[in-house]
Amino acid sequence: MEGRKTPLYDRHTAAGGKIVPFAGWLLPVQYSGVIAEHRAVRSACGLFDVSHMGELVLRGADALANVNNLMTNDFSGMADGQARYSPMCYEDGGMVDDLILYRCSDTAYLIVVNAANRDKDAGWIRAHLTGDCAMEDISDQVAQLALQGPEAESILRTLTGDIPEKNYTAVLHGTVDGRPCLVSRTGYTGEDGFELYCAPGDAPALWDALIAAGAVPCGLGARDTLRLEAAMPLYGHELSPEINPYEAGLGIFVKLDKAGFIGKAALEQARPVRRRRVGLKMTGRGIAREECPVYDGERQIGVVTSGTHCPWLGCAVAMALVDADYKEPGTALQVDVRGRRVEAEVVKTPFYKRG
């Protein structure tokens, strides 16, 4: 297999992780099994290697003006250590990527982007910088571990007192097990949890310490089923250059009342939307997968963007992009699964929400 290795590659192979290529990297898809790992995160605590993600830093007196021009969300009024999620759009309103941005100071912002989009995002941002602002791609200088689940805080507390109290906040200059880390209360599983950003050379020791403290190693398979169960969109599935934030159900992160930003003019004309991301629960026997057509009788009204059988909920669900007339919960539809029509129902999302 070809691909880049994260600093934790040897830990994955030593633990029996099944390695697969993903976004140019070699990463574990599973260890003990997707279902077991999924349930570990829902009931206890799982640990993921997400060192493949991209990290970009914007610095300069005009850094805030630049992030507000590049992203649809408004980053004004943030305090150091606060984080916000946002789409980043092209001029036509389609999405370049979705990302999380941290304020490090009034002149420095950390942007965390999807691994497959790292080079594209860096090029897009660099091409649109204005004034006193420069971008640095620090991805190769950063490893990232995601500790997720109801026991994540108690496990992390055995190694550090640097615990962010609120979701979407971070301890920018923390220490975990004696090693410098940015500790963020964020994640991609629908559970409480943390993402630890550290030097690549410190990642193996941190991994070992968290496993010793009780975290279960988890792979890409469980990461995907967990995010889908929580109805979290994934770039290349629910998000793309052909889908705008309103269609993806991300309108809350579009701030049309702020000054001009890339894509604003197109997004001002983008409502009411013609199609919308919805959740589907399969009421017939069958699992809807990506690209399965969605029907109302003989009329195709959309397509599945992600689908699976959810290990925790015990049923098959999917997200789909459908004509907006069919977005209301309770709407009965059919999904073509390998040439067979399977009954489905539009339901509220997220499918799973922690208590």
Side-chain angles (χ1 to χ4, degrees), residues 61 115 151 155 199 254 284 293 342:
E151 296 180 6
I155 286 176
V254 178
V342 179

Short mmCIF file of all heavy atoms in Angstrom, two decimals, residues 61 115 151 155 199 254 284 293 342:
data_model
loop_
_atom_site.label_atom_id
_atom_site.label_comp_id
_atom_site.label_asym_id
_atom_site.label_seq_id
_atom_site.Cartn_x
_atom_site.Cartn_y
_atom_site.Cartn_z
N ALA A 61 -1.87 41.48 11.50
CA ALA A 61 -2.82 42.45 12.03
C ALA A 61 -4.19 42.32 11.38
O ALA A 61 -5.22 42.66 11.98
CB ALA A 61 -2.27 43.87 11.85
N ALA A 115 -8.36 16.32 5.84
CA ALA A 115 -7.08 15.84 5.31
C ALA A 115 -7.03 15.87 3.80
O ALA A 115 -6.04 16.33 3.20
CB ALA A 115 -6.82 14.42 5.83
N GLU A 151 -16.60 8.71 29.21
CA GLU A 151 -15.53 8.62 30.20
C GLU A 151 -14.28 9.39 29.77
O GLU A 151 -13.24 9.32 30.44
CB GLU A 151 -15.17 7.15 30.45
CG GLU A 151 -16.30 6.35 31.08
CD GLU A 151 -15.95 4.89 31.31
OE1 GLU A 151 -14.77 4.52 31.09
OE2 GLU A 151 -16.86 4.12 31.69
N ILE A 155 -10.85 10.03 32.12
CA ILE A 155 -9.57 9.46 31.68
C ILE A 155 -8.54 10.55 31.48
O ILE A 155 -7.39 10.44 31.93
CB ILE A 155 -9.78 8.64 30.39
CG1 ILE A 155 -10.48 7.31 30.73
CG2 ILE A 155 -8.47 8.39 29.67
CD1 ILE A 155 -10.83 6.46 29.53
N ALA A 199 3.22 17.71 19.41
CA ALA A 199 4.33 17.47 18.50
C ALA A 199 4.31 16.00 18.06
O ALA A 199 3.98 15.12 18.86
CB ALA A 199 5.65 17.79 19.19
N VAL A 254 -24.03 30.50 8.51
CA VAL A 254 -23.90 31.52 7.47
C VAL A 254 -24.41 32.83 8.03
O VAL A 254 -25.59 32.96 8.35
CB VAL A 254 -24.69 31.13 6.20
CG1 VAL A 254 -24.57 32.24 5.15
CG2 VAL A 254 -24.20 29.81 5.64
N GLY A 284 -38.11 -0.48 5.89
CA GLY A 284 -38.09 -1.79 5.25
C GLY A 284 -36.74 -2.45 5.50
O GLY A 284 -35.84 -1.87 6.11
N PRO A 293 -30.41 5.86 -5.17
CA PRO A 293 -31.46 6.82 -5.51
C PRO A 293 -32.60 6.78 -4.49
O PRO A 293 -32.92 5.73 -3.94
CB PRO A 293 -31.94 6.35 -6.89
CG PRO A 293 -30.86 5.45 -7.39
CD PRO A 293 -30.25 4.82 -6.19
N VAL A 342 -36.76 -0.09 -1.09
CA VAL A 342 -36.89 -0.32 0.34
C VAL A 342 -37.55 0.91 0.97
O VAL A 342 -37.15 2.05 0.70
CB VAL A 342 -35.51 -0.57 0.99
CG1 VAL A 342 -35.67 -0.77 2.49
CG2 VAL A 342 -34.83 -1.77 0.36
#
